[in-house]
Amino acid sequence: MAEHTKSAKLTIDGKDYELPIFSPSAGPDVIDIRKLYAQAGVFTYDPGFTSTAACDSTITFIDGDKGELLHRGYSIDELASKSHYLEVCYLLLYGELPSPAQLEDFESRVTNHTMIHEQMINFFRGFRRDAHPMAVMVGVVGAMSAFYHDSTDINDPWQREVASIRLIAKMPTVAAMAYKYSVGQPFVYPRNELDYASNFLRMCFAVPAEDYEVNPILSRAMDRIFTLHADHEQNASTSTVRLASSSSANPFACIAAGIACLWGPAHGGANQACLEMLNEIGTPDRIPEFIARAKDKNDPFRLMGFGHRVYKNFDPRATVMKESADEVLELLGVENNPILQVAKELEAAALADPYFTEKKLFPNVDFYSGIILEAMGFPTSMFTPIFAVARTVGWISQWKEQISDPQLKIGRPRQLYQGSTRRPYQDIENR
Ligand code: ACO
């Protein structure tokens, strides 16, 4: 960490404490409170981490007011239009865009790790057919720790590298197998001559009786969905991965923890919840009813795919996703899809309503991704697993960054205790 140039003064009971302020390369200054408890005997209080920076990072930067998302300094708009997922993976993992030779080598390393240990198939067979694919993914990715012992020593840089490649390479295979299992079809093995997105589509949609011919526009749209979800700095699932890893847990266990956190509808589960909401609305004439429910303080309903903790202007990923939705629906000849119509009119109605504009609630990336995925033939239950496939590189990059930090400490938040103070135990006959 750079030297601090400014400081803040905190006065408690008439006593002054000086707190260093660090200036980042971009974003707001950060007040360093690490020594506060030792010096002043107080904790800070910030449930939900709305004002707390939990780590140093050089990977991703978001300016929520400007609606800007940068990976290693490159904007998501440029990456989504000029680059592709595996190149973005390289950038996130290693910090720079690859040369042609570096990219070729990286792609071949990923491609050569796409198969999973054959015995892992027994794990899938242990699940009920109607299990949610996210439940299967949490279990199977956690179980990878039991199959890849030779890449679980986090103190060995070579093993860290192998675990990273394995996770990025195998995650599409695991997600596709979870899908195949849920529809009662045989698993489809990866094919090395296909690119990452095409391979995933084929593993999901080919059957032994008929191969799946990958349409390049759909493959490009899939790749773009992966690219747009690749990393998003210290969001809930990434922070979960970092917290799990702070105890030196192995990488497969840490990523399984991230998948579990992503599943929730306030985070990655929002894409499934959003499409279910659009289907429930069904026709544009019901939009006012749902808008009214979202505004009603006594109704827990929220417009899914709307709002973001950090973006308070627009989500740059949503803009690209909307363009992609138009392209894919046109290609598939379903541009008059009634759900897309509901989505467009719902977006317009919400953006014209002061409740949403005053609270800075705009469509997020999940608002349009589900429409594309459904048009491609995925059931809603696969939306969040696809997000997990894409986000694996972000989790892994942040995990690698954290464990390479010589100052790494176990994550151990404090609390504002509001329970009983010490009291004597009551024997059961006296209660
Ligand atoms: N619909 C209606 N009202 C909303 C919505 C929404 N989608 N989101 C926030 N609000 C309101 C809240 O009721 C609250 O109102 P109040 O100030 O009158 O109490 C205000 O806006 C602020 O909301 P918070 O929950 O405090 O904002 P926070 O930053 O904690 O939450 C979150 C962000 C979780 C994304 C929230 O906007 C939400 O639940 N959205 C719907 C779920 C969703 O789409 N999640 C995907 C996020 S993107 C991702 O993970 C890829």
Side-chain angles (χ1 to χ4, degrees), residues 265-268 270 294 297 302-309 312 355-356 359 361 364-366 387:
H267 190 13
K297 281 263 159 261
R302 284 184 168 200
L303 275 194
M304 299 316 288
F306 258 76
H308 198 275
R309 169 61 63 78
K312 299 298 175 197
Y355 172 92
F356 293 92
K359 289 186 191 301
L361 299 169
N364 59 48
V365 66
D366 291 325
F387 191 161

Side-chain angles (χ1 to χ4, degrees), residues 381-397:
S381 61
M382 276 303 288
F383 295 180
T384 317
I386 289 170
F387 191 161
V389 169
R391 184 55 57 85
T392 296
V393 70
W395 292 329
I396 284 287
S397 306

Side-chain angles (χ1 to χ4, degrees), residues 59 72 89 92-94 160-169 171 230-231 238 241-242 250-252 254-255 390-404:
I59 302 173
R72 305 284 191 184
C89 287
L92 289 167
L93 280 169
Y94 306 112
R160 297 205 293 251
E161 179 65 18
V162 175
S164 307
I165 298 290
R166 278 183 169 149
L167 276 156
I168 294 164
M171 202 61 95
D231 190 45
T238 301
V241 170
R242 279 188 178 258
N250 78 67
F252 305 104
C254 295
I255 299 306
R391 184 55 57 85
T392 296
V393 70
W395 292 329
I396 284 287
S397 306
Q398 304 265 350
W399 166 79
K400 275 181 84 180
E401 181 179 72
Q402 183 187 29
I403 54 176
S404 319

Side-chain angles (χ1 to χ4, degrees), residues 9 16 32 35 47 59 97 119 135 138 157 160 172 207 209 267 295 325 328 339 347 354 362 381 391 409 417:
K9 196 168 81 178
D16 290 343
D32 180 356
K35 298 204 172 106
I59 302 173
L97 287 168
Q119 213 181 321
V138 173
R160 297 205 293 251
V207 286
H267 190 13
K295 288 159 62 175
V328 168
I339 294 308
E347 180 185 2
F362 298 91
S381 61
R391 184 55 57 85
K409 268 179 155 359
Y417 180 66

